[in-house]
Amino acid sequence: MREAPPSEPSSDWPTRTRRRQTVDRKRVAVLSRQPNLYSTRRLCEAIEAFGHEAVVLDTLRCELQVERNRQSLLYEGAPIPNLDLVIPRIGASITRYGLAVVNQLQAMGIPVLNDAEAIGRSRDKLRCLQILANAGIQVPRTVMMRRKGHLESAVERIGGLPVIVKLLQGSQGVGVMIAHSMKELETLLDTMWDLEQEILLQEFVAEARGRDIRALVVGGRVVGAMRRIASGAGEFRSNLHRGGRGEPVELPPEYEQEAIRAARAVGLEVAGVDLLESNSGPKITEVNSSPGLRGIERALRIDIAAEIVSHGLRACGATTSDRAD
């Protein structure tokens, strides 16, 4: 097993962390392919600042063994040591294997901060929207289809051109496109279907003007929110990985309540909930089970990692009275 690096403060984080000693010392694992990713480092720093041991497990180095009355998890061929809590950070490209690992941890009785079923719901964009809509939460009007026979009427049902075209699975704005004409839309659909990709057509919320809100929900409360703004004229995606920028925002009660309801409906303890500011109120576009921490911590200058770790430690019965300064 590869342990997390010592809890040296991240160079781009303004608050120094300080280790605390605790009698109730826990071993907490972050399930992540890359120990040096910002979010993984910050979670490890927060774990150690609370006085607990942080380790990083590379998801693809985990081996699952299943037999009657016994399930086990090995790491590079060796049994993993006792774990008190696991925080999954599963990339979209390894969702299937990552969910198998999280399921195995749950079968072994190890607490996980976001279970496999909830992560799976969030990764399937249509399933997630179906769950939200059934819970009475407002989402953009969406169509999934596999033939072009009724394409024009489908476009009219979601508000007309332009329309957003999304791959069923994707992240960080990858696989999200916009079509301004029927010809452009047909070309996109033909290309995606030829590649055996399932797609969604979604209404374009013009009044959002290339902006959305990312709210971080932890344990049933919003611990921080930022408005994400697209990089420039012609860019409709506000994702920070697409060059967008984030700024602090104080959520109106309606938006805060909808973000909490969305995370609860999907079943996530930790969630990045994306909301559009529409003329009819907040519209939830996505619920992310592994939200990135760099953008929102930089924008808000608050310790989101500590909020996540503190909630997880409480869930597994650990003491969390001591905090990093």
Side-chain angles (χ1 to χ4, degrees):
M1 175 182 299
R2 181 192 309 174
E3 291 198 353
S7 183
E8 293 301 323
S10 301
S11 60
D12 46 6
W13 174 244
T15 304
R16 292 188 64 84
T17 57
R18 188 170 64 192
R19 291 190 185 187
R20 304 272 190 169
Q21 295 301 316
T22 176
V23 175
D24 184 29
R25 187 169 171 83
K26 304 289 187 182
R27 180 181 288 116
V28 182
V30 181
L31 195 61
S32 171
R33 293 237 49 219
Q34 300 184 49
N36 292 324
L37 286 177
Y38 179 91
S39 297
T40 303
R41 294 200 325 267
R42 288 289 300 120
L43 289 168
C44 289
E45 289 174 359
I47 292 164
E48 295 191 346
F50 279 116
H52 302 284
E53 180 185 356
V55 297
V56 177
L57 296 178
D58 182 335
T59 314
L60 297 186
R61 296 187 182 189
C62 295
E63 302 170 20
L64 287 59
Q65 183 168 331
V66 180
E67 54 187 289
R68 188 175 65 174
N69 297 327
R70 182 187 176 199
Q71 299 195 53
S72 57
L73 188 72
L74 295 88
Y75 194 76
E76 296 192 327
I80 62 169
N82 292 332
L83 298 174
D84 297 291
L85 175 69
V86 175
I87 304 175
R89 298 286 306 180
I90 299 170
S93 63
I94 60 164
T95 294
R96 190 170 180 177
Y97 196 85
L99 292 181
V101 172
V102 176
N103 268 316
Q104 190 84 344
L105 291 164
Q106 291 174 236
M108 295 166 61
I110 299 173
V112 295
L113 200 53
N114 283 343
D115 65 38
E117 188 174 357
I119 296 170
R121 293 189 199 108
S122 72
R123 287 292 163 85
D124 185 325
K125 293 186 187 300
L126 181 64
R127 179 64 181 139
C128 186
L129 291 173
Q130 289 171 329
I131 291 169
L132 296 175
N134 285 340
I137 295 169
Q138 187 175 207
V139 299
R141 287 174 288 179
T142 303
V143 167
M144 183 178 180
M145 58 194 309
R146 195 59 196 262
R147 298 181 64 188
K148 294 188 295 185
H150 303 284
L151 183 57
E152 289 191 11
S153 63
V155 169
E156 288 305 312
R157 291 198 304 273
I158 60 175
L161 295 166
V163 298
I164 303 298
V165 181
K166 289 184 176 181
L167 294 180
L168 196 58
Q169 294 185 338
S171 63
Q172 300 175 351
V174 176
V176 180
M177 299 150 281
I178 187 168
H180 295 276
S181 68
M182 291 301 299
K183 180 64 176 177
E184 188 178 358
L185 178 57
E186 289 175 359
T187 300
L188 279 173
L189 294 181
D190 286 339
T191 301
M192 294 298 104
W193 289 336
D194 285 346
L195 294 171
E196 297 297 323
Q197 294 289 332
E198 304 294 346
I199 57 87
L200 303 178
L201 304 181
Q202 204 164 75
E203 73 169 305
F204 177 68
V205 181
E207 61 268 26
R209 301 186 299 277
R211 306 184 306 175
D212 73 356
I213 290 173
R214 163 62 62 90
L216 254 293
V217 179
V218 179
R221 65 188 183 93
V222 174
V223 298
M226 67 175 171
R227 179 178 284 113
R228 301 185 300 186
I229 304 167
S231 58
E235 177 58 78
F236 67 97
R237 296 170 297 181
S238 57
N239 306 74
L240 302 189
H241 285 83
R242 302 287 103 191
R245 60 183 175 86
E247 62 182 25
V249 63
E250 184 172 345
L251 287 185
E254 180 186 10
Y255 280 70
E256 184 170 348
Q257 291 164 12
E258 286 298 273
I260 293 169
R261 288 182 63 211
R264 183 180 298 122
V266 179
L268 293 170
E269 288 292 305
V270 176
V273 181
D274 296 342
L275 310 95
L276 291 178
E277 299 170 275
S278 79
N279 292 336
S280 59
K283 290 190 176 185
I284 308 291
T285 61
E286 190 170 343
V287 183
N288 192 314
S289 60
S290 297
L293 304 185
R294 183 195 296 268
I296 196 162
E297 286 197 335
R298 282 180 165 180
L300 305 185
R301 315 301 285 181
I302 61 177
D303 195 341
I304 299 292
E307 296 284 354
I308 294 171
V309 171
S310 177
H311 175 70
L313 290 171
R314 287 195 298 270
C316 71
T319 301
T320 59
S321 57
D322 286 333
R323 292 285 302 269
D325 290 341

